[in-house]
Amino acid sequence: MAEGSYKQFCPVAMAAETLCTRWTMLLVRELVAGSTRFNDLRRGVPRMSPALLSKRLRDLESAGIIARRRAAKAPDIFEYQLTPAGLDLRPVIEAIGIWGQRWVESQPTLENLDPVLLMWDMRRNLNTEPMGSSRSTIQFIYPELPQVHRTWWLIVEPDNVVDLCSVDPGFDVDLYVTTDLRTMTEIWLGLSTVAKARENERLILTGDKGLEQAMQRWLGLSPFAGIEKIAS
Amino acid sequence: MAEGSYKQFCPVAMAAETLCTRWTMLLVRELVAGSTRFNDLRRGVPRMSPALLSKRLRDLESAGIIARRRAAKAPDIFEYQLTPAGLDLRPVIEAIGIWGQRWVESQPTLENLDPVLLMWDMRRNLNTEPMGSSRSTIQFIYPELPQVHRTWWLIVEPDNVVDLCSVDPGFDVDLYVTTDLRTMTEIWLGLSTVAKARENERLILTGDKGLEQAMQRWLGLSPFAGIEKIAS
DNA sequence: CCGGATCCGGTTAGATACTG
DNA sequence: CAGTATCTAACCGGATCCGG
């Protein structure tokens, strides 16, 4: 047992001992969302130091939540995969996320804008169903942001594999999305919609009319976007 | 926003910022279980320093989870009451508790035996329904423990108010329960039963036959006792 | 008793740089 | 890609003390 123990037999206490240390819940969120490799996990928790990430992964392993094994395809690369106990943490993440969506105010939330997290989340949840049978390239432009984070390309290949680039992949662009980071994040979180943002001209679409009309559908939202916010 | 922020707009991250700091989840558990006063909360988290408890209560207040107000009956005493946002944390505590019951192994759990926590939990969840219409006094004896924690009296008044004493209240005892702390905790957690413990003579009942037969019913168990443990 | 505040030493986490 | 190493700052635990 860890020295930091609560010394309580209560199941809540025993679980919290592992789960409620700094960064751990976000790390579990990334694992539940499907990330398995060290640097993928790191992208999901970019402000966590790699030393602490490494320690937390060892902690989760010894708690029986993940298993560290060599990747099947690349034996020199490690993968962290959820065990049955880890997979069963999904309801915990969902309960916390639902509470956060309902009760954490929008204002402090929207002080934490981050284009990298947003774009990777969008990539992860993109709905390829409304896409055609040929490749679709969508360019996002945040004019307010510094060069490195200003322009992004989302590419849906014919086999429905989704790719994200921050350097021009050279493909013809089917749809240009020009907006600001706050507006795009509000839409992602379900606090606004594509239609509302277009009305207010905070989001401008140019290009393929089909992709334009279908944006609210192909843009997969946050898993918690459907939960109604109660706090202001 | 706190300086310790994760800087992520994700609802899980925003919620975890408040909820996943040390002791906070256990404190919320106590609040959800019904404790409202500083020293009642303290009894539920006895190893938490009062300074940190005070800080956490202020944090929970500024997060909109509890409201600090003077008690209606005793205006010089403060009460910490859950707001609607706080009441809505019950599903979070339940999800964590269920996961803990399922996946945390019994062995580390049962290294955290604590007679004070156990007896107060038993008091809190006692089922008075099988009790008669007159006062019932049940004495618990843990022969292994030092004097101060060896003997406890659970008293159910005719109006179904439950009381817990660690000094002899002087009433006639209706039922004597002699056992060891580990056995009683296992029963409480649903890892054993009154019948099994009596078979193995790890739990001895003496006194009123009705109370004896009904012990498994009047002994309310941990809220998670019904969840099947999967881990060993 | 109730509801804290203060002080100090140890542990944990953040920042940054570096490596096989 | 997958981590270590190092240093500093923040947080936490434990004990003590205080005013009503």
Side-chain angles (χ1 to χ4, degrees):
Chain A
M1 184 174 40
E3 316 82 55
S5 163
Y6 293 127
K7 300 282 177 61
Q8 295 198 8
F9 54 82
C10 167
V12 174
M14 294 304 293
E17 227 165 87
T18 309
L19 298 176
C20 296
T21 53
R22 187 150 170 77
W23 287 109
T24 303
M25 206 59 84
L26 300 205
L27 188 49
V28 171
R29 178 201 65 193
E30 288 301 305
L31 290 159
V32 167
S35 296
T36 59
R37 306 230 307 244
F38 193 88
N39 283 341
D40 286 351
L41 293 165
R42 223 181 143 178
R43 189 166 37 232
V45 284
R47 301 181 65 90
M48 185 181 190
S49 84
L52 190 55
L53 173 55
S54 178
K55 178 178 190 310
R56 289 288 186 262
L57 287 170
R58 282 191 307 262
D59 294 345
L60 288 174
E61 189 183 7
S62 70
I65 291 168
I66 57 177
R68 179 183 194 262
R69 48 175 73 107
R70 293 180 183 280
K73 298 178 180 178
D76 56 339
I77 287 179
F78 290 105
E79 289 193 342
Y80 300 90
Q81 289 175 330
L82 290 168
T83 62
L87 290 167
D88 201 36
L89 282 170
R90 177 182 289 275
V92 173
I93 297 292
E94 284 176 351
I96 293 176
I98 288 171
W99 186 89
Q101 176 81 359
R102 276 201 192 128
W103 295 107
V104 177
E105 293 172 11
S106 301
Q107 188 165 333
T109 299
L110 295 171
E111 284 168 10
N112 294 327
L113 301 178
D114 183 323
V116 183
L117 288 173
L118 178 64
M119 295 310 297
W120 280 92
D121 271 359
M122 283 172 48
R123 183 206 130 126
R124 188 150 66 183
N125 290 56
L126 199 86
N127 177 17
T128 60
E129 185 264 314
M131 298 297 185
S133 56
S134 61
R135 180 172 56 218
S136 302
T137 303
I138 301 157
Q139 185 178 346
F140 284 79
I141 304 160
Y142 300 106
E144 56 184 306
L145 295 187
Q147 207 105 36
V148 275
H149 293 141
R150 189 175 299 161
T151 318
W152 301 82
W153 287 262
L154 265 177
I155 302 135
V156 184
E157 299 287 352
D159 58 358
N160 282 345
V161 168
V162 184
D163 218 340
L164 174 67
C165 307
S166 57
V167 295
D168 191 344
F171 302 144
D172 284 347
V173 173
D174 299 294
L175 183 71
Y176 293 90
V177 181
T178 307
T179 185
D180 63 286
L181 183 54
R182 183 186 170 109
T183 297
M184 196 62 237
T185 305
E186 285 174 352
I187 295 171
W188 170 254
L189 289 171
L191 306 176
S192 184
T193 62
V194 172
K196 281 188 212 164
R198 292 181 75 184
E199 273 177 37
N200 303 338
E201 294 180 1
R202 293 184 289 127
L203 181 129
I204 313 278
L205 299 183
T206 315
D208 183 278
K209 294 298 175 193
L211 283 177
E212 186 182 311
Q213 303 280 332
M215 177 166 176
Q216 187 75 62
R217 280 189 294 130
W218 58 253
L219 182 70
L221 300 187
S222 150
F224 306 105
I227 308 295
E228 189 195 0
K229 186 169 287 295
I230 301 177
S232 59
Chain B
M1 184 175 41
E3 316 81 58
S5 163
Y6 294 126
K7 302 279 177 64
Q8 295 199 6
F9 54 81
C10 166
V12 174
M14 293 304 293
E17 227 165 89
T18 309
L19 298 176
C20 296
T21 53
R22 186 151 168 76
W23 288 109
T24 303
M25 207 57 86
L26 301 204
L27 189 48
V28 171
R29 177 201 65 191
E30 287 303 304
L31 290 159
V32 167
S35 297
T36 59
R37 305 230 308 245
F38 192 88
N39 283 339
D40 287 350
L41 293 165
R42 227 183 138 173
R43 189 168 36 234
V45 284
R47 301 180 64 90
M48 185 181 192
S49 83
L52 191 55
L53 173 54
S54 178
K55 178 178 190 310
R56 290 288 185 261
L57 287 170
R58 271 176 306 187
D59 293 344
L60 289 175
E61 190 183 6
S62 70
I65 291 168
I66 56 177
R68 180 183 193 261
R69 48 175 72 108
R70 293 182 183 278
K73 297 178 179 176
D76 55 339
I77 288 179
F78 291 105
E79 288 194 343
Y80 300 89
Q81 290 176 328
L82 290 168
T83 62
L87 291 167
D88 201 35
L89 283 170
R90 177 182 290 276
V92 173
I93 296 293
E94 284 175 353
I96 293 175
I98 287 171
W99 186 89
Q101 177 80 1
R102 278 203 190 125
W103 296 106
V104 177
E105 292 172 11
S106 302
Q107 189 166 331
T109 299
L110 294 172
E111 284 168 9
N112 295 327
L113 301 177
D114 184 322
V116 183
L117 288 173
L118 178 64
M119 295 309 297
W120 279 92
D121 271 359
M122 284 172 50
R123 182 206 130 129
R124 189 151 65 183
N125 291 56
L126 199 86
N127 176 17
T128 59
E129 185 263 316
M131 297 297 186
S133 55
S134 62
R135 179 172 55 219
S136 302
T137 303
I138 300 156
Q139 186 178 346
F140 285 79
I141 304 160
Y142 300 106
E144 55 184 309
L145 295 188
Q147 207 105 35
V148 275
H149 293 141
R150 189 174 300 161
T151 318
W152 301 82
W153 287 262
L154 265 177
I155 302 135
V156 184
E157 299 288 350
D159 57 359
N160 283 345
V161 168
V162 183
D163 219 339
L164 174 67
C165 307
S166 58
V167 296
D168 191 343
F171 303 144
D172 286 347
V173 172
D174 299 294
L175 183 70
Y176 293 89
V177 181
T178 307
T179 185
D180 63 288
L181 183 54
R182 183 185 171 111
T183 297
M184 196 63 238
T185 305
E186 285 174 353
I187 295 171
W188 170 254
L189 289 172
L191 305 177
S192 183
T193 62
V194 172
K196 281 188 213 164
R198 291 182 74 183
E199 273 177 36
N200 303 338
E201 293 179 4
R202 293 183 292 127
L203 181 127
I204 313 278
L205 300 182
T206 316
D208 182 278
K209 294 297 174 192
L211 283 177
E212 187 182 310
Q213 302 280 333
M215 178 165 175
Q216 187 77 61
R217 281 189 295 130
W218 57 254
L219 182 70
L221 300 187
S222 150
F224 306 105
I227 308 295
E228 188 195 1
K229 184 169 289 294
I230 300 177
S232 58

